[in-house]
Amino acid sequence: MDKTASINHGNPSQPDSGSSGAVFAGGLIKQYKNANYPALNDFSLAVQPGEFYGLLGPNGAGKTTAISILTGLFPPDSGTVRIMGMVFRESENAIKQVLGLVPQNIGLYDKLTARENLTFFGKLCGISGKKLTERIQEGLEFARLADHARQPVATFSTGMKRRLNLAVGLINDPQVLILDEPCVGIDAQSRNLIHEQLTAINQRGTTILYTTHYMEEAQELCSRIGIIDNGHLVEEGTPAALLQKSGRANLEELFLHLTGKELRDA
Ligand code: ADP
């Protein structure tokens, strides 16, 4: 992946509408009931096939809302979402075949074992028979949990749960993988493994869109980065181009410059 390609000098909130790419959001607006401000305010994004795109933003910027809408959990008040050119209203089942989601809150059943969780989510994706058996075994090996396959998830460390959460998101071998802070609260070893695996998955052709608070992680992993604040993109480009353009020493400096140093407790 070429991380030195040039920055998008256009308005980051106006992607090329001629190509919807792997993940496309156009002019998304979302206001929660009783909220004073919209969580998403003209949020637009275009992630091209094969990209490893990092969405960065302070607390309350709108990242989880954007991911929720992009994965079809709920619709926007207005605006367009396309996954591999398809819209949820017309092609929800087809989108489920190509899309994997790794949610921020670990979405595993504590009382079920690792194998039972993979089986459950595999069946939800419509996988069965020999293919399901194969995908479960691959998932257990991928998460380095083959030796713990029969243990209930309740007995797992956070790192083990995060690894299994990722394997569940990959159970359908998705073309597009969307992750919401996949490395929160885990030790350096599990984080390192997840980084290596995400890089390998991306190099095999899976498009990745993910959110993170870890600037160094984004700088290391992402081919392109978007910074979201107050519900819309405020900057976008390759890590190298963003730093060159801004003259900042690292992404954290640039991030604080763009989003301010005021605490966000939302
Ligand atoms: P982030 O993931 O970047 O922290 P969120 O998408 O969670 O941001 O939140 C964006 C804004 O929407 C915040 O102001 C947050 O308080 C508000 N918000 C999020 N979820 C809800 C909800 N279910 N009801 C009301 N407001 C919400």
Side-chain angles (χ1 to χ4, degrees), residues 188-209:
Q189 284 76 11
S190 281
R191 191 161 66 237
N192 183 56
L193 177 67
I194 289 179
H195 287 184
E196 283 177 11
Q197 289 174 324
L198 290 179
T199 301
I201 294 163
N202 178 245
Q203 281 170 353
R204 287 204 301 270
T206 301
T207 306
I208 295 182
L209 166 62

Side-chain angles (χ1 to χ4, degrees), residues 32-33 35 39 57-66 104 180-181 266:
Y32 292 103
K33 267 189 203 149
N59 284 341
K63 301 181 295 297
T64 297
T65 304
Q104 183 180 136
D180 196 2
E181 297 194 34

Side-chain angles (χ1 to χ4, degrees), residues 134-152:
E134 280 170 13
R135 294 297 306 156
I136 290 167
Q137 197 51 37
E138 282 170 23
L140 289 169
E141 282 163 21
F142 178 89
R144 305 280 205 276
L145 290 172
D147 293 343
H148 303 276
R150 294 180 194 286
Q151 262 176 251

Side-chain angles (χ1 to χ4, degrees), residues 59-79:
N59 284 341
K63 301 181 295 297
T64 297
T65 304
I67 297 281
S68 302
I69 291 173
L70 288 171
T71 53
L73 290 183
F74 51 78
D77 298 339
S78 61

Side-chain angles (χ1 to χ4, degrees), residues 12-84:
S13 67
Q14 296 295 324
D16 176 13
S17 57
S19 145
S20 66
V23 179
F24 173 78
L28 298 185
I29 307 269
K30 170 71 190 176
Q31 179 141 10
Y32 292 103
K33 267 189 203 149
N34 305 322
N36 292 327
Y37 307 97
L40 293 182
N41 188 5
D42 195 17
F43 175 78
S44 296
L45 179 76
V47 180
Q48 299 308 319
E51 280 198 297
F52 196 138
Y53 192 105
L55 190 60
L56 305 178
N59 284 341
K63 301 181 295 297
T64 297
T65 304
I67 297 281
S68 302
I69 291 173
L70 288 171
T71 53
L73 290 183
F74 51 78
D77 298 339
S78 61
T80 310
V81 170
R82 288 184 185 276
I83 304 294
M84 301 298 284

